[in-house]
Amino acid sequence: MTDLAHRFPNNPLLSPADVMPSRPGLGVLGVLNPAVFRFEDKIWLLLRVAEGVPADSDSVSAPVLDPDAPDGMRLVTVSRDDADLVSTDPRFFVWRGESYLTSISHFRLAASDDGVHFVVEPGPALEGRGDSERFGIDDCRVTAIDGCFYLAYTAVSPDGFGICLASTDDWRTYERHGMVLPPPNKDGVLFPGQVSGSYVALHRPVSQGLGGKFIWLAWSPDLRHWGEHQCILRPRSDRWDSAWIGAGAPPLRIPEGWLEIYHGVDASRRYCLGAVLLDADDPSKVLGRSRDPIVQPLTNDERHGFFDNVVFADGALANGDELIMYYGAADERVCGAFLSIREILAGLE
Amino acid sequence: MTDLAHRFPNNPLLSPADVMPSRPGLGVLGVLNPAVFRFEDKIWLLLRVAEGVPADSDSVSAPVLDPDAPDGMRLVTVSRDDADLVSTDPRFFVWRGESYLTSISHFRLAASDDGVHFVVEPGPALEGRGDSERFGIDDCRVTAIDGCFYLAYTAVSPDGFGICLASTDDWRTYERHGMVLPPPNKDGVLFPGQVSGSYVALHRPVSQGLGGKFIWLAWSPDLRHWGEHQCILRPRSDRWDSAWIGAGAPPLRIPEGWLEIYHGVDASRRYCLGAVLLDADDPSKVLGRSRDPIVQPLTNDERHGFFDNVVFADGALANGDELIMYYGAADERVCGAFLSIREILAGLE
C-alpha cells in the first residue's frame, strides 16, 4: 500500500539529537508536530520539543513547571516501590490519585532558506506559563491573520488540556490571550482570515459515552472568544479514520473551498493524514473527504519511535499545485513531503 | 445529621402526575431541576420535564427528535434479544455502537402567586431543535441581564452534551444563540450582569485522566462567544463534594461578593448543595466554601426516586436574608426550601 506523499530524501529533517535541552538534567525525547510559516524570506518551523528524565528501574519522574522552583521547574520523582504509584504507560503515571506526564513540551523555532535544511534555535520560543500550562504546551498551529501570527496550541495541566492562543508579529515577543476553548479539547486550528465577517476555528473536544473525538467548528468576533459550536466531522467505521480524528494544518483556501489536512486514527492506533474539503462561504458544510490516507506511516522513521506508526501534521505550505508538508513521525522526529493538491482533490469522495 | 434548609411543608411542590405529557405515547418520568425567576408579579419555574417510554421486559426505547418524523419525534426501540444491544443502566443504552438516552427532556413553565402553589402550563416552552439537541435539552438556568432573560442549558445529542444559550423578553418567543460551550460540558450559569466590563459564566467541563468535573469561569463580550477560561473550584477529598462538582443557581450579588450555590457529589453518588463565595470584582477568586452541605437529601422525596439521594438546584430567589430555593429531588420531583444567607456565610471556610 502506498500514499500520495513524495518524501524528502533527507528525512528525517530533525531528530532529538539536533535540539539542545532547555534545562540541565532534562533530555530531549522528541521533536515533533511543527507549525510552519513563512517570515522574512525564510521557512520556519515552530517545533514541539518534548523533554523528560528517562524512567529507570527504580523510579519515574514528571517535570512540572513551577515559578517558585529553581529554573522554574520541579521534578516529581516517585519510587517504583511506592504503593500510591500506578505506572502502566511510558507517557504518564498516577500518583496519590493525581495524573502526571513523564515529558513536558515547549515550542522551539527552526529556520531554513531552502525548506529542507533547518537550523534549530538554542532555546525555547515559548514555554508553559501559569496554572493552565503546568504540564507544558504542545502541538501548535500558526495562522497569519491581518499581518499578525496567531499560535493556537494545547495547554496541559492537572486541570486538563485545553486550547490557548498567543500572537506575535516579530517572533521575539508574544502576547498571550489565555485559554480560548476549555478542556478537554485540542487540535485547535484557526482559518487564515474571516469568513462571512467572522473568524473561524476547528477544534476537537474529547467526549466519552455520548459523542467522541470529533471535529467541531466555531465562530468568533475577535479570535479570543468563541461560540456557535457545531460538529462537522466524525470518524467513519471500517476506514483509516475509524477511531478518532482531529484537525491538522490551518485550512488552505483553494478555488474549490477550504482544504483541511486532518489526522485519523484506526482501531490499531495508527495515525494517518487525510483531507477534507469545506465550503468556501460556510465551512461547516463538508464537500468531500479522502477515501484513503494521503500520508500514512510507511518508512522506518514513521513506523518506529516514541510512539509507533504516527504521521501527524500541524502545518503545510502551498506553492501552486504543490503542498509542502512538515509532519511529526512516530512522535519523535520531523519529516517533510511534497503532495499534489490536484491528486488530493481527486481522492475525495 | 441535618442541614440549613427549612423545607416547605407541602413538598413536593410538583411531581410527574402534575405534568401533561408533550406527546401521545410518552410518559412523564420526572419533573426536576427548575430555573426560577420573577416576571409580571409572579414567581415562575422553568421546569425540566423528562419523558420516555417505560422499558419493558421485551425492549428498550429512546425518544429522538427528528423534524422528518410525525410529531417531530421518532422512537428507537430495540429488542432485549438484539445481539448489538448493551443495556446496563436504566438511563441509557448502547446499540450498534451508538449511545441512546431512554428519556428526553424539554422545558415547561409553571407560575405561582405565592411561590408555593404552582400551575404547570399544558405544553412545552422550549424543546430541542437541530442536530445538537436531538436527545433533548435539560437543566436550564435563567439569568435576567439588561432587561432580557437568558436561558443557559445543556443540549444533548449523539455528538455529546454542550451548553446552549437562548433568550426571551416575553416568555412566549425565544431567540436561540447556538452552542456557546462545546462538549463535554454542562452546568453553565450566567452572572446577572457585567463584571469589570465583561459578562461572566461558570461552567463544568468533563475531563477524564487529567482534570475532572471541576468548575471553570469564562468571560464574554456579548454572551454568545466565550474565552479566558480558568479552573476555579475542584472537588475536595473526604468531603461531601469529593467526587465531582458543578455550578447551580446564577450567582447572587451580596455585600460580601458573589454567592454561588453549587452541587457536590461524593463517592457514593450522593448529591448535596453547598455555597462558594467569589470575589465581587474578580469572581475567579474563591473567598470561601461550605464546610458542610447546606442542603442534603434527607426526606423521603429526596432520598428515593428516579435517581436516589439527589438534591440539585438551578435557581434561587433572595428576599433580604432569606434565600428561597427550588430544587430537584431524587431526579423526579420539585421541592422548595428557605435558607438564611447569614447562616450560609457562617458555614464557609
Side-chain angles (χ1 to χ4, degrees):
Chain A
M1 198 166 181
T2 182
D3 60 23
L4 301 185
H6 302 271
R7 288 164 173 79
F8 289 11
N10 62 325
N11 277 346
L13 306 182
L14 294 170
S15 295
D18 300 317
V19 181
M20 290 266 293
S22 67
R23 287 176 173 80
L26 287 183
V28 174
L29 306 177
V31 49
L32 64 159
N33 303 1
V36 54
F37 58 95
R38 298 183 202 271
F39 178 64
E40 290 182 345
D41 296 325
K42 289 179 193 283
I43 291 177
W44 296 77
L45 302 179
L46 189 65
L47 304 159
R48 171 181 174 185
V49 174
E51 300 178 298
V53 176
D56 59 33
S57 54
D58 294 333
S59 63
V60 291
S61 293
V64 181
L65 293 170
D66 180 350
D68 297 329
D71 252 356
M73 184 179 286
R74 62 188 165 84
L75 272 181
V76 176
T77 301
V78 184
S79 165
R80 288 194 185 275
D81 297 334
D82 194 307
D84 292 323
L85 174 70
V86 182
S87 171
T88 57
D89 187 301
R91 294 170 298 176
F92 60 86
F93 60 85
V94 177
W95 183 51
R96 297 180 177 170
E98 300 279 332
S99 294
Y100 294 89
L101 303 187
T102 55
S103 70
I104 190 164
S105 293
H106 67 266
F107 300 143
R108 190 81 64 102
L109 285 165
S112 173
D113 290 316
D114 60 6
V116 176
H117 301 89
F118 285 87
V119 177
V120 182
E121 294 198 347
L126 207 69
E127 287 192 299
R129 183 194 293 174
D131 286 343
S132 66
E133 302 180 354
R134 288 219 183 286
F135 288 170
I137 52 179
D138 65 46
D139 289 358
C140 190
R141 280 78 170 181
V142 169
T143 306
I145 303 175
D146 303 333
C148 186
F149 294 96
Y150 286 89
L151 290 70
Y153 61 90
T154 306
V156 191
S157 84
D159 295 324
F161 50 88
I163 298 170
C164 284
L165 184 70
S167 61
T168 183
D169 51 17
D170 60 7
W171 291 102
R172 292 299 148 203
T173 58
Y174 300 87
E175 188 180 354
R176 289 175 191 250
H177 306 289
M179 185 173 286
V180 294
L181 290 164
N185 208 324
K186 51 170 58 176
D187 300 325
V189 177
L190 301 178
F191 282 57
Q194 295 189 341
V195 179
S196 306
S198 289
Y199 297 103
V200 192
L202 302 174
H203 61 95
R204 210 288 304 278
V206 177
S207 288
Q208 299 193 22
L210 280 181
K213 294 177 174 176
F214 304 166
I215 295 177
W216 288 62
L217 184 136
W219 301 83
S220 172
D222 59 9
L223 293 165
R224 299 190 309 283
H225 304 89
W226 293 88
E228 299 156 83
H229 300 274
Q230 288 171 265
C231 184
I232 66 163
L233 209 69
R234 301 163 188 86
R236 295 174 295 190
S237 56
D238 301 325
R239 289 290 175 88
W240 59 275
D241 52 2
S242 61
W244 71 84
I245 56 176
L252 182 71
R253 185 68 169 88
I254 60 174
E256 292 81 357
W258 294 102
L259 184 67
E260 167 63 18
I261 307 299
Y262 73 98
H263 64 268
V265 182
D266 68 13
S268 71
R269 294 202 163 204
R270 186 170 184 263
Y271 282 70
C272 292
L273 294 168
V276 58
L277 183 67
L278 306 176
D279 184 82
D281 299 319
D282 179 2
S284 71
K285 289 185 189 158
V286 174
L287 305 179
R289 189 168 172 181
S290 295
R291 170 183 291 271
D292 301 308
I294 61 173
V295 189
Q296 49 182 328
L298 295 177
T299 71
N300 199 50
D301 286 330
E302 297 157 358
R303 292 175 58 215
H304 304 293
F306 186 78
F307 196 87
D308 290 351
N309 291 311
V310 175
V311 290
F312 193 100
D314 289 346
L317 296 174
N319 183 19
D321 179 59
E322 191 175 75
L323 194 69
I324 313 165
M325 197 182 293
Y326 300 92
Y327 58 96
D331 272 7
E332 185 170 319
R333 48 191 87 85
V334 174
C335 291
F338 297 107
L339 290 93
S340 155
I341 293 176
R342 189 178 40 76
E343 287 182 11
I344 293 173
L345 292 177
L348 301 184
E349 64 175 16
Chain B
M1 200 167 180
T2 182
D3 60 24
L4 302 185
H6 302 272
R7 288 163 173 80
F8 290 10
N10 62 323
N11 279 345
L13 306 182
L14 293 170
S15 296
D18 301 317
V19 182
M20 290 268 293
S22 66
R23 286 176 174 80
L26 286 183
V28 174
L29 306 177
V31 50
L32 65 160
N33 303 0
V36 54
F37 57 94
R38 298 182 202 270
F39 178 63
E40 290 181 346
D41 297 325
K42 289 179 194 281
I43 291 177
W44 295 76
L45 302 179
L46 189 66
L47 304 160
R48 171 181 172 184
V49 174
E51 299 178 297
V53 176
D56 59 32
S57 55
D58 294 333
S59 62
V60 291
S61 293
V64 181
L65 293 171
D66 180 350
D68 297 330
D71 251 354
M73 184 180 286
R74 62 187 164 86
L75 272 182
V76 176
T77 301
V78 184
S79 164
R80 289 193 186 275
D81 297 334
D82 194 307
D84 292 323
L85 174 71
V86 182
S87 171
T88 58
D89 187 302
R91 294 169 297 176
F92 60 86
F93 61 85
V94 178
W95 182 51
R96 296 180 178 170
E98 301 278 334
S99 294
Y100 293 89
L101 303 187
T102 55
S103 71
I104 190 163
S105 293
H106 67 266
F107 301 143
R108 190 81 64 101
L109 285 165
S112 173
D113 290 317
D114 60 5
V116 175
H117 301 89
F118 285 86
V119 177
V120 181
E121 294 198 347
L126 206 69
E127 287 191 299
R129 182 194 295 175
D131 286 343
S132 65
E133 302 180 353
R134 286 218 185 286
F135 288 171
I137 53 179
D138 64 45
D139 289 358
C140 189
R141 280 79 171 182
V142 169
T143 306
I145 302 175
D146 304 333
C148 186
F149 294 97
Y150 286 88
L151 291 68
Y153 61 90
T154 305
V156 190
S157 85
D159 295 324
F161 50 89
I163 298 170
C164 283
L165 184 70
S167 62
T168 184
D169 52 17
D170 60 6
W171 291 101
R172 292 298 148 202
T173 57
Y174 301 86
E175 187 179 354
R176 291 175 189 249
H177 306 288
M179 186 173 284
V180 293
L181 289 163
N185 209 323
K186 50 171 59 177
D187 301 325
V189 177
L190 301 178
F191 283 57
Q194 296 190 340
V195 179
S196 305
S198 289
Y199 298 103
V200 192
L202 302 174
H203 60 94
R204 210 287 303 278
V206 177
S207 288
Q208 299 193 23
L210 281 181
K213 294 176 175 176
F214 305 166
I215 295 178
W216 288 62
L217 184 136
W219 300 83
S220 171
D222 59 8
L223 292 165
R224 298 190 310 281
H225 303 88
W226 293 88
E228 301 157 82
H229 300 274
Q230 289 171 265
C231 184
I232 66 162
L233 209 68
R234 301 163 187 85
R236 296 174 294 189
S237 55
D238 301 325
R239 288 290 175 89
W240 58 275
D241 52 2
S242 62
W244 70 84
I245 55 177
L252 182 70
R253 185 70 170 89
I254 60 173
E256 292 81 358
W258 294 102
L259 185 66
E260 167 63 17
I261 307 299
Y262 73 98
H263 65 268
V265 182
D266 68 14
S268 71
R269 295 204 164 203
R270 187 170 184 263
Y271 282 70
C272 294
L273 295 168
V276 58
L277 183 67
L278 306 175
D279 184 84
D281 299 319
D282 179 2
S284 71
K285 289 186 189 158
V286 174
L287 304 179
R289 187 168 173 182
S290 295
R291 169 183 292 272
D292 301 308
I294 61 173
V295 188
Q296 49 183 327
L298 294 177
T299 70
N300 199 50
D301 286 330
E302 297 158 357
R303 291 175 59 212
H304 303 292
F306 187 78
F307 196 88
D308 290 351
N309 290 310
V310 175
V311 290
F312 193 100
D314 289 347
L317 297 174
N319 182 18
D321 179 59
E322 192 175 77
L323 194 69
I324 312 164
M325 197 181 292
Y326 299 93
Y327 58 96
D331 272 7
E332 185 170 319
R333 47 192 88 85
V334 174
C335 292
F338 297 107
L339 290 94
S340 155
I341 293 175
R342 187 178 44 74
E343 287 182 10
I344 293 173
L345 292 177
L348 301 184
E349 63 175 15

